[in-house]
Amino acid sequence: MSNARLVPPESVADLTAAVLRGDYGPDPAGLHAVGAFWVRQSTQFPGTDTKYRNHYLVLRVDAGFGGCCVEREQLHPDVAEELSGRNLAELLTDARVPVRVAALDAYLSLTRPHLQQREARTLWLPHGTPLQRAKARDEAIAGLLHIQPGQRVGLIGVVNPLVAAIQAHGGVCLPCDFNLARTQDGTEVARDMRPVLAQADLVIATGMTLSNGSFDEILATLRARGVPLVVYAQTGSAIVPRFLGHGVAAVSAEPFPFSQFSADPTPIHLYRAPDYDGARAAA
């Protein structure tokens, strides 16, 4: 089915309903989660005192993988044993948001693979150490940004190299995160995203906004304000590009297996809406 025939989704629920109708390909009831994985991982780079703690639900459906990063207590680790063997129609209507997100991501990774999307530019992260690969990934994300000096840039989900990239371009970083009190350079981190969304001239968000349910609010708020949204997505890497040009200005999509799980070259897929340029992003 051609992407051009599809009505752009207004929300994640809208996109899910379209998938359940068969608008994006085969009936989800005929596809099954053959594999379900629960991954608990932490990262701390030498010379820093910041420890990133991540918990992932990953579903495999045929040749597709769907990934969702969750908060520590959001899902019980036994969920991986529970979900394998179930069909995607069931999982897409599960009561738990992360399960629905992982299922939707798996379905779209299968029916809309990044390598077949004409809007995507694929960049292979180099073989190297975790720090070398993380820097290459963050530089690629920073390359999607059009930051003007003095521009207020909301950062929903703090990654310290992106704080530095915003500041290096002369932007004013407005960080927001549930799990950090301050950035590495000492900037205070807000917990409530709403004041950040109200002030920002540009917003960068993590795909984890899908798993905590805030993505739709971010999307609607910034659409109403006409403010560009750039998303760096491990969670929902196949979901977020479906909103490109309809609330999302650019995406760095990193499908499973994520860069931190390998030293070998792995791809990230960079999307930019045609109308996203420096003029639009200017304050």
Side-chain angles (χ1 to χ4, degrees):
M1 181 177 293
S2 169
N3 289 359
R5 300 179 195 172
L6 297 172
V7 176
E10 294 295 325
S11 65
V12 176
D14 190 25
L15 178 60
T16 303
V19 165
L20 287 166
R21 286 195 304 269
D23 293 356
Y24 283 79
D27 184 353
L31 297 169
H32 292 76
V34 176
F37 311 84
W38 176 261
V39 182
R40 181 174 181 173
Q41 174 252 344
S42 69
T43 298
Q44 183 171 346
F45 293 115
T48 72
D49 57 5
T50 300
K51 186 183 293 289
Y52 299 98
R53 296 176 175 86
N54 296 317
H55 303 77
Y56 297 95
L57 171 65
V58 180
L59 300 177
R60 180 167 189 173
V61 179
D62 291 344
F65 285 87
C68 185
C69 186
V70 301
E71 297 291 349
R72 184 180 304 180
E73 304 301 331
Q74 203 170 357
L75 287 177
H76 192 280
D78 288 349
V79 70
E81 296 181 26
E82 171 199 340
L83 298 180
S84 61
R86 293 175 59 185
N87 73 62
L88 278 193
E90 291 181 272
L91 299 181
L92 287 168
T93 55
D94 192 276
R96 295 160 292 188
V97 172
V99 174
R100 298 199 302 270
V101 168
L104 183 61
D105 194 39
Y107 181 91
L108 292 170
S109 75
L110 180 65
T111 62
R112 295 292 188 277
H114 296 292
L115 290 174
Q116 296 180 16
Q117 304 309 298
R118 64 178 181 271
E119 305 95 335
R121 177 173 66 88
T122 299
L123 173 70
W124 288 85
L125 300 180
H127 178 278
T129 67
L131 186 57
Q132 288 169 333
R133 286 167 56 76
K135 283 184 175 179
R137 181 194 64 195
D138 292 338
E139 286 171 4
I141 297 169
L144 291 172
L145 308 177
H146 295 296
I147 299 175
Q148 309 298 320
Q151 189 175 25
R152 296 162 296 185
V153 182
L155 184 59
I156 313 296
V158 172
V159 176
N160 282 308
L162 285 181
V163 176
I166 291 166
Q167 295 169 341
H169 284 82
V172 178
C173 185
L174 307 176
C176 179
D177 198 294
F178 287 139
N179 298 311
L180 292 175
R182 293 187 178 277
T183 64
Q184 191 171 329
D185 70 352
T187 303
E188 185 175 352
V189 176
R191 288 183 60 85
D192 184 355
M193 70 176 183
R194 290 177 179 86
V196 172
L197 297 179
Q199 298 174 55
D201 306 304
L202 165 68
V203 171
I204 310 165
T206 174
M208 199 171 173
T209 54
L210 289 161
S211 60
N212 66 26
S214 62
F215 180 80
D216 284 348
E217 182 177 352
I218 294 169
L219 195 67
T221 300
L222 298 183
R223 276 176 182 157
R225 293 191 58 221
V227 169
L229 171 63
V230 176
V231 183
Y232 57 105
Q234 289 185 335
T235 294
S237 69
I239 297 173
V240 181
R242 309 284 73 80
F243 296 89
L244 191 72
H246 192 63
V248 171
V251 187
S252 172
E254 185 180 340
F256 187 84
F258 307 134
S259 58
Q260 62 266 41
F261 297 148
S262 176
D264 293 328
T266 53
I268 58 175
H269 307 277
L270 306 174
Y271 295 76
R272 182 184 280 121
D275 63 346
Y276 177 47
D277 54 31
R280 184 182 176 191

